[in-house]
Amino acid sequence: MPAAKTKADLIAVTEKEWETFSKLLADFDETSASIADCEGASAIRIVGHRAAWIDLYFAWRKSAASGNTPEMPAPGYKWNELNDLNEAIFQNQKGWTWSATCEALEGAHLRLSEDIHSASEAELYGTPLAPGLKWTRGRYAEAAGASHYRSAAKVLRKLMKQQ
């Protein structure tokens, strides 16, 4: 699926993917959300991961708004260290309940949606997010939101079939 190139397209894809993804959350409860597949993926890890990446998006935005190039994907991590970052995210969320994890995701999604709706076309797609970056704010918002929702929905469906 090609990346959105306009605010209207970004809103549409974000809402569509969120609707699909969020409906799947109701298929899990506190017990089933913690059951991992052979690769260690569980609903609680997948959902918590998505909430954390939206938080990273806002950290990037804050850094860019200060005139800096954000440390990506996160301070102290390089793109080739995503497994380590993802494990750190999980460790930070260890002990979260399924309901708390879903609430974190829903709150993060609401903030992301508000951020997209309140931005102008030029703010979303006019220039790269920050100096030294190629992607626009809109492209990063899509990567942290709609694209992550789409991939998470696939994993949640797979987990449901395995259970």
Side-chain angles (χ1 to χ4, degrees):
M1 172 177 282
K5 296 198 183 327
T6 67
K7 178 178 177 174
D9 289 347
L10 179 59
I11 290 170
V13 72
T14 301
E15 290 175 359
K16 174 184 176 275
E17 298 299 343
W18 171 252
E19 183 178 336
T20 301
F21 177 45
S22 63
K23 284 180 183 176
L24 293 169
L25 301 180
D27 292 337
F28 294 87
D29 59 25
E30 292 290 338
T31 302
S32 62
S34 298
I35 298 172
D37 66 10
C38 62
E39 297 172 2
S42 67
I44 200 164
R45 283 184 85 152
I46 296 300
V47 171
H49 177 267
R50 276 28 183 206
W53 274 82
I54 293 171
D55 290 342
L56 287 173
Y57 163 79
F58 282 106
W60 302 336
R61 287 247 306 107
K62 183 178 179 181
S63 179
S66 299
N68 300 310
T69 299
E71 289 184 64
M72 292 183 165
Y77 292 92
K78 297 176 185 162
W79 286 109
N80 64 355
E81 299 172 320
L82 286 179
N83 288 340
D84 294 338
L85 173 58
N86 292 337
E87 185 58 30
I89 289 168
F90 177 67
Q91 290 303 319
N92 287 338
Q93 297 173 347
K94 204 166 195 159
W96 284 18
T97 63
W98 175 239
S99 59
T101 303
C102 289
E103 286 175 22
L105 175 68
E106 289 165 4
H109 169 73
L110 182 60
R111 285 189 355 254
L112 179 64
S113 183
E114 289 171 351
D115 182 70
I116 294 167
H117 279 86
S118 67
S120 69
E121 188 80 30
E123 288 171 325
L124 289 171
Y125 291 103
T127 60
L129 178 65
L133 300 177
K134 292 182 181 180
W135 280 10
T136 63
R137 174 177 164 184
R139 185 64 187 97
Y140 281 110
E142 184 175 355
S147 293
H148 257 171
Y149 301 159
R150 186 179 313 112
S151 65
K154 289 177 186 174
V155 176
L156 292 183
R157 283 189 207 97
K158 180 179 165 190
L159 288 169
M160 284 303 299
K161 285 181 184 178
Q162 291 176 356
Q163 293 181 18

